[in-house]
């Protein structure tokens, strides 16, 4: 069983950067596909980015493509989300999630394990 803890959220101005981390416990982390999702107040949870267990084939939502970068370090049991050129519409609670399914997964239903979330607020 994988457990996830996010960190790195905070308040940043438009155009700024943040790096989110998701630390995983459990021996199966390296075999899990990992994803980042976000949820703004009054909105549904939406896909942001995902990466396969090997670190290949990262995938991004169109809204963050070119600004966000997902990566993982299996030796450290950690997945990262580097967020650059942040916009006010990026404001949300960001969640990392783990999936035992093969390949990149965009649907929240593919992920069995979720972290508690970290707040990202981008001021205009």
């Amino acid at each position: 069983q994988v457990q996830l803890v996010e960190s790195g959220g905070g308040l940043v101005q438009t155009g700024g950067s943040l790096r989110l981390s998701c630390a995983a416990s459990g021996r199966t982390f390296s075999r899990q596909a990992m994803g980042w999702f976000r949820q703004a107040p009054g909105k549904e949870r939406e896909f942001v980015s995902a990466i396969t267990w090997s670190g290949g084939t990262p995938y991004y939502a169109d809204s963050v493509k070119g600004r966000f970068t997902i990566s993982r370090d299996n030796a450290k049991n950690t997945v990262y989300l580097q967020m650059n050129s942040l916009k006010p519409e990026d404001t949300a609670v960001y969640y990392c999630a783990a999936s035992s399914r093969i390949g990149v997964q965009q649907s929240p239903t593919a992920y069995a394990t979720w972290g508690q979330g970290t707040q990202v607020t981008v001021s205009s």
Side-chain angles (χ1 to χ4, degrees), residues 35-64:
W36 286 97
F37 292 78
R38 66 187 181 187
Q39 188 165 18
K43 294 187 177 181
E44 293 187 353
R45 191 167 298 189
E46 66 171 353
F47 171 79
V48 174
S49 182
I51 192 167
T52 60
W53 70 269
S54 64
T57 322
Y59 194 80
Y60 302 94
D62 288 342
S63 59
V64 306

Side-chain angles (χ1 to χ4, degrees), residues 1 15-16 20 24 27 44 66 69 77 79-80 84 86-87 93 97 108-109 124:
Q1 183 79 17
L20 305 184
R27 292 178 293 177
E44 293 187 353
T69 303
N77 278 10
V79 63
Y80 305 97
N84 298 328
L86 283 162
K87 305 174 181 180
V93 177
T109 60
S124 57

Side-chain angles (χ1 to χ4, degrees), residues 69-80:
T69 303
I70 190 172
S71 62
R72 67 188 295 164
D73 185 338
N74 288 341
K76 296 182 178 180
N77 278 10
T78 303
V79 63
Y80 305 97

Side-chain angles (χ1 to χ4, degrees), residues 22-40:
C22 175
S25 61
R27 292 178 293 177
T28 62
F29 171 79
S30 62
R31 299 196 293 273
Q32 303 280 314
M34 299 297 296
W36 286 97
F37 292 78
R38 66 187 181 187
Q39 188 165 18

